[in-house]
Amino acid sequence: KQEVTQIPAALSVPEGENLVLNCSFTDSAIYNLQWFRQDPGKGLTSLLLIQSSQREQTSGRLNASLDKSSGRSTLYIAASQPGDSATYLCAVEMDSSYKLIFGSGTRLLVRP
Amino acid sequence: EADIYQTPRYLVIGTGKKITLECSQTMGHDKMYWYQQDPGMELHLIHYSYGVNSTEKGDLSSESTVSRIRTEHFPLTLESARPSHTSQYLCASSEWLGTQYFGPGTRLLVL
């Protein structure tokens, strides 16, 4: 059974710092991995999708990497801003079920 | 910006009432999903659909039911609401093997 783990569970950093969020998964038979952002009481916003054949994706200050064989992904946020404060979730889409399996998220606070 | 809508956004209702949470998308996506999320907790998949007349139960057992009569519409129904159903319900849609787009959610409080 696929398990997705995100470390750390919470992170507090000063504005301007570069940071890395980690995501690991136990079953490498995935189609893709997606990173989402969730603000309190809101729905999820898609940030990046990495296909299983890809190594990384970039969007603005965000860069996500994928090492499928080791079951790891990282989300790198450059020059963090208070507006980046949110919960970040990673999820893998399995090739056996076409469902997303979510991690429990990392709560990020960027202090002004 | 994804075009996926949920109504109502907030609902307070008494025990025993029947409720339907609406979800619609204008992107023509075949795949649609319902998730349940308690505050500060993980998302749990409760229902999904691969297309019209296709519905499947998710990983978390739920007393709710869903229907998919039209591609763009995926309503969730609770026949008799209970306080244990209090939660946030999130609807999502996607193309095959594509990004999932989420609606804004419905926050349900059952008294």
Side-chain angles (χ1 to χ4, degrees):
Chain A
K1 181 187 172 190
Q2 178 72 276
E3 292 183 4
V4 180
T5 304
Q6 290 188 246
I7 295 173
L11 182 63
S12 178
V13 300
E15 182 177 4
E17 195 161 295
N18 302 325
L19 56 99
V20 175
L21 308 181
N22 296 293
C23 173
S24 61
F25 47 96
T26 55
D27 186 344
S28 62
I30 64 170
Y31 268 131
N32 61 53
L33 183 144
Q34 301 180 35
W35 282 94
F36 296 89
R37 167 192 173 132
Q38 186 175 31
D39 293 292
K42 301 287 182 61
L44 277 68
T45 300
S46 177
L47 297 174
L48 291 162
L49 180 151
I50 311 176
Q51 301 289 354
S52 61
S53 58
Q54 296 176 319
R55 283 286 196 170
E56 66 178 332
Q57 283 285 339
T58 298
S59 176
R61 295 182 293 107
L62 305 179
N63 176 276
S65 68
L66 174 64
D67 185 340
K68 186 180 169 184
S69 60
S70 68
R72 296 176 188 272
S73 175
T74 61
L75 179 67
Y76 175 82
I77 302 177
S80 59
Q81 303 170 358
D84 294 332
S85 298
T87 295
Y88 290 81
L89 296 143
C90 74
V92 297
E93 183 160 12
M94 302 301 297
D95 60 3
S96 58
S97 64
Y98 307 107
K99 295 186 293 184
L100 277 183
I101 311 296
F102 281 87
S104 54
T106 293
R107 290 192 316 276
L108 173 66
L109 173 65
V110 181
R111 308 186 304 271
Chain B
E1 189 75 18
D3 296 322
I4 181 163
Y5 308 99
Q6 290 186 244
T7 57
R9 293 291 313 278
Y10 305 92
L11 180 62
V12 180
I13 202 163
T15 297
K17 299 291 186 182
K18 177 179 178 180
I19 60 172
T20 296
L21 307 184
E22 303 287 351
C23 176
S24 60
Q25 49 95 6
T26 58
M27 298 170 282
H29 289 164
D30 284 327
K31 294 169 69 180
M32 295 190 74
Y33 314 82
W34 276 103
Y35 294 88
Q36 184 175 343
Q37 185 183 35
D38 293 327
M41 304 297 285
E42 299 177 22
L43 277 84
H44 294 285
L45 180 67
I46 53 175
H47 297 284
Y48 60 101
S49 167
Y50 291 146
V52 171
N53 294 323
S54 154
T55 61
E56 304 285 345
K57 288 191 178 296
D59 302 318
L60 180 68
S61 176
S62 174
E63 294 167 347
S64 58
T65 59
V66 292
S67 63
R68 190 89 184 273
I69 299 172
R70 302 198 315 267
T71 297
E72 62 271 22
H73 197 213
F74 192 40
L76 180 145
T77 298
L78 277 165
E79 290 292 334
S80 180
R82 296 208 301 266
S84 61
H85 297 139
T86 294
S87 190
Q88 177 168 244
Y89 294 84
L90 293 166
C91 180
S93 73
S94 72
E95 297 177 339
W96 286 93
L97 305 179
T99 298
Q100 278 200 17
Y101 295 97
F102 281 77
T106 294
R107 299 185 77 171
L108 173 65
L109 173 60
V110 183
L111 302 175

